[in-house]
Amino acid sequence: MLPVQAQFRRLVRWWVRRDPPRYRGLHEDLASANSGVTLDRYLLRTFLASGLFGIFWAVLGFLVMRLSVLPVVKVRVYTVFALRLPGFVLTDAAIALLQVVASAVIFLLTAYAAYTFFLRYPSILKQSRAIRINLLLHSAVSYMYAMRQGGAEMMTIFRAISASAAVYGEAAHEFRRVVRDTDYFGYDQITALRHLQDTTPSEKLQQFIQDLVSVIESGGDVLGFLDARVRIYQEDARFEQKTFLTTLQLAAEAYVTLFVAGPLFIIIVMVVMGLMSGAPILELSIVIYVLIPLGSLFFILAIDAISIKTETVERYTEERWLREFIDVRIEGRPGEEQSSRQLEWYDRVRNLRTFVRHPLQAFLVEPNRTFYVTVPVALAYVLLTVLATPAYADPEILVDVLDDHIIVALLIVLLPFGIAHQVWRTKVMRLEAATPEFLNRLSGINQVGLTLAQAITILVKADLGVLTYEIRKVKRDIDWGASVQEALVRFEERIRTPTIARAVTLITTASRMTGNISEVLNIAARDAAISENLKREREGEMFIYTAIIYLVFVVFVFVVAVIDVQFLSALADVNALSAAGGPAAGAVPIGNTPIITFERLLYHGCLVQALFSGLIAGQMGEASIRAGVKHAAVMLIIALVVFTVVI
């Protein structure tokens, strides 16, 4: 007897063999999306995930229907001959049966919807990879041109670019397939390239591979071909950016409509409905605590799927360790033991000394370190607040009191991180803005016959803004014995941005192969200038949508505040005056629900909207959810001030 998983896999394979053309497109999408999952395994996961998704919503729907108070329903049935049959009243058993049937329908609909989504998801990933490949292809081709100018063979170029996936992203992952096919599957270079042409999701890369194969087979000038394509792709990058920005604009408009303006309209409608037939607390809670967070997370993931990660660039370096073996005798010299102990002690206290001397610098270089301080402080603040809060008889009042302190604790965590990240990002932006000018000057100096090290020595005296300080560090590393390539790599590791990483990769690669790299420097300068212009264009285009999110959020808070002050509070006062000797104004109910509960839900709605609207603003405007933390903190402060000070 085979295991259950193996049995399911056999059933899936049988299902695929029944209609192979039906899943041929899915198989191609999985390969193009670089998913690393076989067709039968993906279908098995699809069936299981769809079933679990349907079961979850069916159970949730059944529980909601069981907990809901349903009125007595009288039903009259009419036949096709318009003959009226005697009416009847739905009994508890009949209602339970209808609930079971409704749950079954919910299961079928949600499971089918999930199944359809999972079948289309590889296609979405495929299109996402195509966008990423197109946006980075011009940089990858620039790197290939730099190596080819130094005399490198094409397979050497493919291996080098595949090892630079941290810099060239999905474009490097595509050329990694060529290396895999030649090194492990025994394909020749041309066959591997044609296989990449058939599987890549990018039409631009397909055309590039097709033309490259033609040039190689005909014995043409590969260097000239790469030079021409570098210039063409650098111009095409702007048009790819416009397509990307159009998609972002559509996503921004959809988010504002569906998850900012939409919930506001629903809240207003539910408040009005509460006056007529009791407060819809359950429905309002679902909107605030479920629909808004889940919808916002969906938009964050969708935008992240089509965006290029521009936060950091990690370069993987090979470390060599000197090991002692028992069969090798090592002769020590007098005094070495003391020196070794001193070096070991220095390594242990170096980081601590650096932190003591420049405590803020450690947080600015790596904003995540702020959580090591802020999270314990926030937890201690919440704990002390809970211990100091008196035991209120009404739990509604207790929750209302603790709400504000929890938000303050959240701000203690978010605000320092947002400030540190913004300060570091501002510095990086200034460095990247000066990079094209730096590369152009390097190229001009190199053209007159000076080496790269001599050019850097001259540029130390130039005024390049904030980049001048980093150039001085590069010059200092060279003076202390490091090679130019090592000094530039250290410069890249200090900054860790894609623009500088690509420029450093181009320069170091070309300088290892030839001394005259003026043309490569010009290409690197144009690449850096184009990347900077594209980034500024994106920020300029998305700034208006970030402002719209702020504006709509302010309107959201304003409307909710008006409902709270002008409607709920007035209603509570009227009810309190009409019921002399009755409960306090804050506890006067709308239907069976205390007004204080209604007010807390509206307050939480503003807080939830503030948090996720801020994250969405950062993801759209700056391609980073980390950049959205500062927006979320600002919006949380606005909501907190409005509901605690103004109201």
Side-chain angles (χ1 to χ4, degrees):
M1 192 67 182
L2 294 175
V4 178
Q5 186 177 3
Q7 291 281 13
F8 276 115
R9 193 173 297 176
R10 280 179 92 181
L11 291 175
V12 170
R13 290 173 182 165
W14 171 81
W15 183 264
V16 173
R17 293 192 190 100
R18 290 177 63 252
D19 190 10
R22 180 180 180 183
Y23 297 101
R24 186 172 300 158
L26 177 61
H27 179 71
E28 295 175 354
D29 291 341
L30 288 172
S32 299
N34 200 19
S35 61
V37 181
T38 59
L39 177 61
D40 58 338
R41 184 179 293 273
Y42 184 80
L43 285 176
L44 177 61
R45 295 177 180 177
T46 298
F47 290 137
L48 294 177
S50 302
L52 293 176
F53 189 80
I55 292 173
F56 171 78
W57 284 105
V59 172
L60 181 62
F62 180 79
L63 293 176
V64 171
M65 288 184 290
R66 293 294 296 176
L67 295 175
S68 301
V69 179
L70 300 178
V72 178
V73 181
K74 294 183 178 181
V75 181
R76 288 191 180 272
V77 181
Y78 294 83
T79 67
V80 294
F81 301 103
L83 298 176
R84 187 175 68 181
L85 299 179
F88 60 92
V89 179
L90 290 179
T91 61
D92 293 340
I95 293 176
L97 179 61
L98 289 176
Q99 291 171 347
V100 172
V101 173
S103 299
V105 173
I106 293 174
F107 169 78
L108 294 176
L109 293 178
T110 54
Y112 180 76
Y115 174 76
T116 304
F117 171 77
F118 285 124
L119 289 184
R120 296 182 180 272
Y121 184 67
S123 177
I124 298 174
L125 292 181
K126 174 183 175 181
Q127 297 299 324
S128 173
R129 291 195 71 239
I131 294 175
R132 298 186 184 191
I133 292 170
N134 293 340
L135 289 176
L136 289 175
L137 184 59
H138 71 280
S139 300
V141 177
S142 299
Y143 181 76
M144 297 171 64
Y145 171 74
M147 293 195 66
R148 187 65 180 181
Q149 193 179 48
E153 298 292 332
M154 292 306 301
M155 283 306 306
T156 304
I157 295 175
F158 295 149
R159 290 188 177 90
I161 197 171
S162 64
S164 303
V167 179
Y168 299 106
E170 294 294 341
H173 285 292
E174 291 297 280
F175 287 104
R176 186 174 292 178
R177 296 187 180 189
V178 178
V179 179
R180 178 201 62 188
D181 291 344
T182 55
D183 292 349
Y184 297 101
F185 297 158
Y187 293 176
D188 60 273
Q189 177 179 305
I190 300 299
T191 304
L193 287 172
R194 293 191 183 279
H195 183 253
L196 174 59
Q197 179 185 346
D198 296 335
T199 57
T200 183
S202 171
E203 295 183 0
K204 181 182 287 188
L205 183 58
Q206 289 179 0
Q207 187 63 41
F208 173 78
I209 295 298
Q210 181 179 353
D211 296 341
L212 178 62
V213 169
S214 300
V215 172
I216 294 175
E217 288 183 333
S218 63
D221 184 11
V222 178
L223 182 62
F225 167 76
L226 293 176
D227 184 22
R229 286 305 171 96
V230 166
R231 302 178 187 278
I232 293 174
Y233 289 158
Q234 286 180 341
E235 295 297 327
D236 290 345
R238 187 176 301 276
F239 297 99
E240 298 291 341
Q241 177 83 344
K242 290 182 179 180
T243 303
F244 176 62
L245 290 178
T246 301
T247 305
L248 280 184
Q249 292 170 2
L250 180 62
E253 294 173 357
Y255 174 76
V256 171
T257 303
L258 295 176
F259 295 98
V260 181
L264 181 60
F265 175 77
I266 294 174
I267 289 173
I268 295 174
V269 171
M270 287 184 177
V271 171
V272 176
M273 290 175 57
L275 293 178
M276 298 182 296
S277 60
I281 294 298
L282 178 61
E283 293 82 356
L284 191 59
S285 299
I286 292 176
V287 171
I288 293 174
Y289 300 122
V290 178
L291 293 183
I292 295 178
L294 291 182
S296 301
L297 288 176
F298 170 78
F299 271 90
I300 291 174
L301 294 176
I303 297 173
D304 183 72
I306 64 175
S307 300
I308 294 181
K309 310 301 184 298
T310 58
E311 277 299 306
T312 60
V313 174
E314 301 291 341
R315 180 184 293 272
Y316 296 95
T317 58
E318 182 182 359
E319 296 183 354
R320 295 183 174 89
W321 298 86
L322 297 178
R323 303 183 182 273
E324 295 184 5
F325 299 91
I326 58 175
D327 57 343
V328 176
R329 184 177 180 181
I330 300 177
E331 294 183 1
R333 297 181 179 179
E336 285 186 349
E337 295 82 2
Q338 180 67 23
S339 300
S340 299
R341 286 194 295 268
Q342 290 179 353
L343 289 174
E344 184 178 358
W345 173 254
Y346 177 79
D347 290 337
R348 290 179 178 178
V349 302
R350 178 180 54 185
N351 295 332
L352 180 60
R353 292 174 60 185
T354 303
F355 177 77
V356 172
R357 291 178 179 178
H358 309 285
L360 295 179
Q361 186 66 24
F363 299 120
L364 296 178
V365 173
E366 185 55 56
N368 291 338
R369 294 174 181 171
T370 58
F371 296 137
Y372 298 144
V373 178
T374 58
V375 171
V377 172
L379 293 176
Y381 175 80
V382 172
L383 180 61
L384 293 176
T385 301
V386 172
L387 296 177
T389 302
Y392 292 96
D394 190 353
E396 297 281 353
I397 299 177
L398 178 61
V399 174
D400 192 57
V401 171
L402 293 178
D403 270 351
D404 298 336
H405 296 288
I406 293 175
I407 299 303
V408 171
L410 183 60
L411 289 174
I412 292 174
V413 176
L414 298 181
L415 201 57
F417 175 85
I419 295 174
H421 180 269
Q422 183 60 30
V423 172
W424 175 251
R425 185 176 179 275
T426 302
K427 177 183 177 181
V428 170
M429 291 175 61
R430 294 170 60 189
L431 289 172
E432 289 187 340
T435 300
E437 179 65 21
F438 167 64
L439 295 174
N440 282 324
R441 294 192 181 189
L442 272 183
S443 175
I445 297 174
N446 185 255
Q447 285 179 349
V448 301
L450 298 180
T451 64
L452 195 58
Q454 293 172 335
I456 293 175
T457 302
I458 294 175
L459 288 179
V460 170
K461 303 177 182 178
D463 184 13
L464 294 174
V466 68
L467 191 59
T468 303
Y469 179 71
E470 295 295 334
I471 296 175
R472 291 174 182 173
K473 287 186 176 182
V474 174
K475 174 63 169 53
R476 184 187 60 188
D477 289 343
I478 296 174
D479 293 340
W480 286 359
S483 63
V484 177
Q485 293 81 8
E486 292 173 345
L488 290 175
V489 169
R490 292 176 184 175
F491 165 61
E492 173 198 334
E493 291 175 346
R494 288 193 299 269
I495 308 303
R496 297 179 298 169
T497 66
T499 300
I500 294 177
R502 289 193 291 267
V504 170
T505 303
L506 276 175
I507 296 172
T508 55
T509 301
S511 61
R512 283 195 293 265
M513 297 182 176
T514 180
N516 186 12
I517 60 171
S518 59
E519 182 63 23
V520 175
L521 289 172
N522 286 329
I523 293 175
R526 289 199 301 268
D527 183 67
I530 290 174
S531 298
E532 184 67 18
N533 292 334
L534 292 179
K535 183 173 63 176
R536 290 183 178 181
E537 183 178 355
R538 169 175 178 161
E539 292 179 352
E541 290 286 341
M542 298 311 299
F543 174 78
I544 185 168
Y545 289 95
T546 303
I548 289 174
I549 290 177
Y550 268 94
L551 179 61
V552 175
F553 171 74
V554 172
V555 173
F556 186 98
V557 174
F558 175 77
V559 173
V560 171
V562 170
I563 293 174
D564 191 357
V565 175
Q566 302 295 331
F567 184 72
L568 295 180
S569 298
L571 182 62
D573 294 338
V574 171
N575 291 341
L577 292 175
S578 62
V588 173
I590 299 181
N592 296 322
T593 304
I595 289 182
I596 192 173
T597 303
F598 232 118
E599 293 176 338
R600 186 175 66 252
L601 283 175
L602 296 179
Y603 180 36
H604 286 183
C606 292
L607 296 176
V608 172
Q609 195 66 255
L611 179 62
F612 288 99
S613 294
L615 298 179
I616 287 286
Q619 186 67 53
M620 289 191 304
E622 304 170 42
S624 169
I625 193 172
R626 302 173 68 188
V629 172
K630 60 179 180 292
H631 300 298
V634 172
M635 293 183 183
L636 285 173
I637 292 174
I638 293 174
L640 183 64
V641 170
V642 169
F643 279 87
T644 58
V645 179
V646 179
I647 298 180

